[in-house]
Amino acid sequence: MKFTLDNIDGHLVGIAELEGRLDASNSKPLQKIMPEWLEKTPFLVFDCSRLDFIDSSGLGAIVGCLRKAIDNKGDLRLSELNGKVAMVFELTKATRLFSIFTNRGEAVASFAAGADPGSAK
Amino acid sequence: MKTILALREAECAWVRDAFPCVHPLLLPICNKPFIEFLIDFAILVGSPAVRILGDGELDAVERYCENGSRWGIDISYANMQTGDSVETMLGKNRRFCDKERVMMVSGFSFVRYDKRRDYKSLAGSMPEGEWVAGPGGSITLFGAPEKPEAQAADAPLSLMALDGMASYYRASMEALETGADRYVLPGYGGEPGCAIGRNVVMSKSVEIRKPVSIGNNVQLLGDAIIGPSAIIGSNVIIDRESTVESSIVFDNTYIGEQLEVIGRIASGNRLSDPVSGVAVTMEDPHLLSGIRKSEALGALPRKIVHALGALILIVLLAVPFLVVSTLLRLGGGWRSATGDYLSGKSGETISLGKVEPDAANALDTIASTLSLDRYPWLFRVLTAELALIGSTPLPAETQHPNAPANALAYRPGVFSYAEAEQWPATGGDAAIVERYHLVHSGPISDIGLVVKAFVNRPHEKTTP
């Protein structure tokens, strides 16, 4: 998982690129590394453009990350969910928990001061 | 006029990919196999005989349609070569056509018609040639008009090519929305836009929003929202607080709790978006899964665990049973009546003796507390005639909606899941509980439920 930091309007936004599958067998590394990322910034974007598959365990891990981000007075936003991953989010109503953007740039920009996260697609 | 229905595999290859378990001609459109819409149309046109031609296997279709006696017509089957022209097909089926006028429906298209209109006179007066054509097929008439001078009123007729998931979804929704006005659709419906099949068990809090079509043996659990525009197949479970809207749920599909299926096609553990064509195969059985009755109920480990459990109870209860039942028999308080009950195998029955202690004295109370009335049944678990825990045995003399032929899951048990969960032994909710556990419970959880049933039974008897 590649993690980079971006500065947008004074907000430090962490961008994590999720790849391949996120399921019961490989969701633990994400939960493990999350505190490290949160030490750097509580404002996070998960770029899911290269995420091919997610199951309920993977979804649980992402929801756990969201909870931790909110506990740190930040937020976790998602970008570029492919069709299959988006279907799992819609099926489980997880789309209501996250702000989801069509591309990473929009997701990062949404953290700019005054930006309305409600404009998420 | 006779009818030939010709289908080439290439025209419906997408069905084989998207729904591998369904023959393209049996693809359900609003819970009715595609072939039945064509047969209905052939009947409307006045065909006494229909021949189904295919360049692939037709075994599944033959098993379903048989000889057509169900519709009061003759149905026969024949193979054709992929490259056969219309003339070749007619030539090969010359004996079937027998100099009569022939209507040939070719291609994989949904025929839009209106059952209230007179297609018989119309087809009889139409000149030879193409009647209607579309990108996915055509309807052509061969032979001279039967009544060329007849003045038949025009009737709507068009074809919608079923060339992919999107057109299939559109055709299904169109059939649902136009409903029983234009087509003969399955299910009972007290009001327009709501057709419900046999043995549908709904919790009280289920919300139905028309139009909907629901198949047979469906369980809709608490707070589920079905519709608008939902087509639910047969043997489907929609679990609690889930929503199914503008979607098609195929037969034998389980939709888990608190899910939202909107604008989708769910088939077993596969969820598809008919618009984009994206399909995802779920790996979480608690979200979306196929229901396989035989595997769930007939698993060997489950049978072994049940037999071991029964053996333990037989040993533990042997002395109390011999003492208490003997004393009760001597006192006339052990009344037993033998009856026939439905077996887990379709069409078979088992004979069970049912004991009803009076619960008027201490011995009766001991018998009830230890479930000694069920003691003789435990031996039937060893012979696999009964499960240790399963469905409440249903009397064979009545046509029960929960009978194996109808029910999603039924396996009579010494104890019932309804007893374990303290549901009243009769009623729809008990049936839901029993079927849920039959499908979802495993050998270990069965043992826990046996203990619960054993503890709860005396309590149930003392509760008014």
Side-chain angles (χ1 to χ4, degrees), chain A residues 1-120:
Chain A
M1 273 171 289
K2 197 174 152 193
F3 185 75
T4 53
L5 287 168
D6 198 350
N7 195 318
I8 179 91
D9 272 7
H11 282 294
L12 206 55
V13 179
I15 304 158
E17 289 178 21
L18 306 184
E19 294 175 3
R21 291 172 63 94
L22 193 58
D23 55 25
S25 64
N26 57 15
S27 57
K28 276 187 183 156
L30 177 64
Q31 290 166 308
K32 248 183 189 172
I33 205 166
M34 188 64 186
E36 277 181 41
W37 293 344
L38 285 170
E39 278 176 17
K40 290 169 184 157
T41 176
F43 303 106
L44 295 167
V45 170
F46 281 2
D47 179 348
C48 303
S49 57
R50 294 166 73 187
L51 182 65
D52 301 322
F53 179 82
I54 190 168
D55 73 354
S56 57
S57 302
L59 197 59
I62 294 186
V63 172
C65 293
L66 172 69
R67 190 177 297 131
K68 284 174 189 161
I70 291 170
D71 288 347
N72 284 273
K73 299 189 169 42
D75 195 11
L76 168 61
R77 296 176 188 176
L78 307 177
S79 71
E80 289 188 66
L81 269 60
N82 76 27
K84 290 182 180 182
V85 174
M87 275 168 74
V88 176
F89 271 76
E90 286 161 14
L91 178 72
T92 54
K93 299 185 252 188
T95 45
R96 295 176 191 174
L97 299 176
F98 293 94
S99 299
I100 300 171
F101 296 83
T102 49
N103 64 61
R104 184 205 288 205
E106 280 180 26
V108 173
S110 71
F111 281 111
D116 176 16
S119 62

Side-chain angles (χ1 to χ4, degrees), chain B residues 73-230:
Chain B
I73 58 170
D74 288 324
I75 295 182
S76 54
Y77 308 84
N79 289 316
M80 65 178 187
Q81 297 297 315
T82 306
D84 278 356
S85 65
V86 170
E87 289 73 24
T88 310
M89 281 191 269
L90 286 174
K92 283 181 178 175
N93 294 279
R94 198 178 301 120
R95 189 176 290 176
F96 167 77
C97 298
D98 194 26
K99 294 177 187 169
E100 277 194 48
R101 194 163 210 222
V102 171
M103 175 178 76
M104 183 179 285
V105 181
S106 62
F108 195 49
S109 296
F110 180 65
V111 182
R112 292 183 178 112
Y113 56 85
D114 187 336
K115 69 180 183 188
R116 297 162 296 189
R117 309 301 273 271
D118 180 11
Y119 289 91
K120 190 175 179 180
S121 304
L122 186 61
S125 64
M126 294 279 289
E128 184 172 10
E130 202 168 72
W131 187 358
V132 62
S138 64
I139 301 176
T140 312
L141 299 169
F142 298 94
E146 289 159 342
K147 294 174 185 170
E149 69 290 344
Q151 294 291 314
D154 202 13
L157 184 65
S158 62
L159 299 175
M160 181 198 280
L162 298 175
D163 53 6
M165 197 86 85
S167 55
Y168 165 66
Y169 177 81
R170 277 201 309 276
S172 299
M173 288 300 153
E174 188 181 300
L176 176 67
E177 276 150 28
T178 49
D181 287 346
R182 290 185 69 159
Y183 309 103
V184 178
L185 293 177
Y188 304 99
E191 48 189 307
C194 187
I196 296 180
R198 284 177 291 124
N199 194 28
V200 173
V201 185
M202 287 186 215
S203 292
K204 284 174 190 167
S205 51
V206 168
E207 193 176 328
I208 301 286
R209 298 174 180 169
K210 294 188 288 182
V212 294
S213 171
I214 299 174
N216 300 322
N217 309 319
V218 172
Q219 297 173 48
L220 307 174
L221 276 77
D223 295 314
I225 300 173
I226 309 300
S229 302

Side-chain angles (χ1 to χ4, degrees), chain B residues 314-339:
Chain B
I314 287 169
V315 173
L316 289 176
L317 299 176
V319 175
F321 175 75
L322 287 172
V323 174
V324 174
S325 66
T326 307
L327 291 173
L328 280 170
R329 273 196 187 100
L330 290 173
W334 186 267
R335 288 195 300 275
S336 173
T338 304

